[in-house]
Amino acid sequence: FPPRRSSDLAAPATDAAKVALSLVPERKAITPGGTLTVALRQVIQKGWHTYWINPGDAGGPMEVTWQLPPGWKAGPIQWPYPKELPVPPLMTFGYDGEVVLLMDVTAPADAKPGETVTLPADLNYQVCSDVCELGEDHLDLALPVAAAPPPADAQTTALFANARAAIPKPVDWPVRFA
C-alpha cells in the first residue's frame, strides 16, 4: 500500500484500502505536561481481518512507531479483546469490521499553549482474507497545545468509552493447577 497522510485531527484515509486507518484524539487539545489518549481506528473491509498482539498460529499485529518531537512520549497499544479467527488447521486471533486501539501520548511540561504539534506515526500491519497482504501507512496527528483541557464531544466520548470497555481488565481470581 502506498503511504497515506492525514493532517486533520481525525481524517480517515480516503482510498479503497483493505483497512482505513485514522488517528482520533480523545480531546481536541493537550495541556503542557498532560496525557491524552489517542485512538487508532481501523475500519476493515468485509471479509478481511487484522491481528491481535498475539496473532495465534499465523499473522502479525499492528505496529505503531511514533516519530515524536523531543520531550513527547507515547505509551504502548492498549489491546481490546480479539475474536477467534479460525483458518483450518490454524487458529488466529484478531479483528474484523471496526476496531479501536488506544495509546496514551504525553506532552512535555514546557509545551507552549497556542502551538500546534504534529505527531507522526508509521504503521505496519498485516490484513488477511483468503490471502494476506502487508500494509504500511503514515498518519500525522496535528494536536493543539492548550492551557486547559477542552471539553470532549459526545461522539468522541462514546468512541473512547466503547474502546475502553473492550480492553481486558486484570482479575484477582485464585488459580490452581494440578
Side-chain angles (χ1 to χ4, degrees):
F1 297 111
R4 298 183 300 272
R5 297 200 179 263
S6 171
S7 57
D8 189 79
L9 278 179
T14 57
D15 68 5
K18 306 294 186 292
V19 182
L21 301 165
S22 59
L23 293 172
V24 182
E26 188 165 17
R27 297 182 182 269
K28 302 280 186 206
I30 192 168
T31 57
T35 298
L36 177 72
T37 303
V38 175
L40 172 58
R41 183 173 176 237
Q42 300 177 49
V43 178
I44 306 162
Q45 278 188 11
K46 185 175 174 92
W48 293 82
H49 61 269
T50 60
Y51 291 97
W52 185 45
I53 187 172
N54 174 358
D57 294 325
M62 174 69 70
E63 295 176 357
V64 179
T65 305
W66 292 95
Q67 307 298 327
L68 300 174
W72 288 77
K73 295 181 180 151
I77 294 173
Q78 300 167 43
W79 296 90
Y81 289 103
K83 295 179 180 178
E84 290 182 355
L85 302 168
V87 183
L90 308 176
M91 176 59 77
T92 63
F93 305 98
Y95 312 101
D96 57 12
E98 182 177 334
V99 65
V100 176
L101 307 178
L102 301 179
M103 296 163 279
D104 291 331
V105 173
T106 303
D110 63 355
K112 306 277 188 267
E115 292 184 349
T116 297
V117 177
T118 299
L119 306 178
D122 293 320
L123 312 170
N124 290 293
Y125 57 95
Q126 192 170 34
V127 58
C128 297
S129 181
D130 295 334
V131 297
C132 291
E133 297 179 10
L134 296 177
E136 64 180 41
D137 213 327
H138 177 89
L139 298 175
D140 291 322
L141 176 63
L143 194 58
V145 178
D153 62 67
Q155 191 173 39
T156 304
T157 299
L159 176 78
F160 281 83
N162 291 336
R164 285 189 175 101
I167 296 172
K169 309 287 184 269
V171 296
D172 61 357
W173 300 335
V175 177
R176 290 186 220 146
F177 297 93

